[in-house]
């Protein structure tokens, strides 16, 4: 097998996750989506913004990154 610089791509099949949220959080997400549309001139559904919001949150959490790095090392 050839030795490629690019590793095999990870599984990118989307998974469906159903959650219940409070009315207050729902309104805040709607407000965020409206501000996003005002800022970028493009409307996006809250359901399309949430995965990016969660990824951004996890990437910015230093304690999680440290713990996750330790878990990956075994």
């Amino acid at each position: 097998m050839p030795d490629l610089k690019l590793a095999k791509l990870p599984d990118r099949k989307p998974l469906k996750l159903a959650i219940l949220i409070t009315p207050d959080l729902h309104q805040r997400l709607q407000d965020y989506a409206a501000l996003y549309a005002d800022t970028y001139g493009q409307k996006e559904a809250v359901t399309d913004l949430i995965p990016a919001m969660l990824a951004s949150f996890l990437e910015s959490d230093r304690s999680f990154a440290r713990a996750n790095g330790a878990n990956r090392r075994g």
Side-chain angles (χ1 to χ4, degrees):
M1 180 179 324
D3 185 23
L4 299 177
K5 282 194 175 266
L6 180 65
K8 183 177 178 185
L9 295 177
D11 184 5
R12 296 176 313 281
K13 179 181 171 192
L15 302 172
K16 185 173 184 172
L17 175 67
I19 63 169
L20 299 174
I21 60 174
T22 63
D24 290 347
L25 178 56
H26 181 260
Q27 184 59 55
R28 292 178 67 197
L29 290 168
Q30 294 293 332
D31 294 344
Y32 191 94
L35 181 59
Y36 180 95
D38 289 345
T39 301
Y40 296 111
Q42 182 174 345
K43 277 182 97 170
E44 297 288 350
V46 168
T47 54
D48 292 329
L49 294 174
I50 289 174
M53 295 167 84
L54 290 172
S56 177
F57 173 82
L58 291 173
E59 289 168 7
S60 68
D61 189 314
R62 292 182 184 185
S63 293
F64 177 72
R66 280 192 298 272
N68 198 33
N71 289 338
R72 286 186 179 182
R73 286 191 291 267

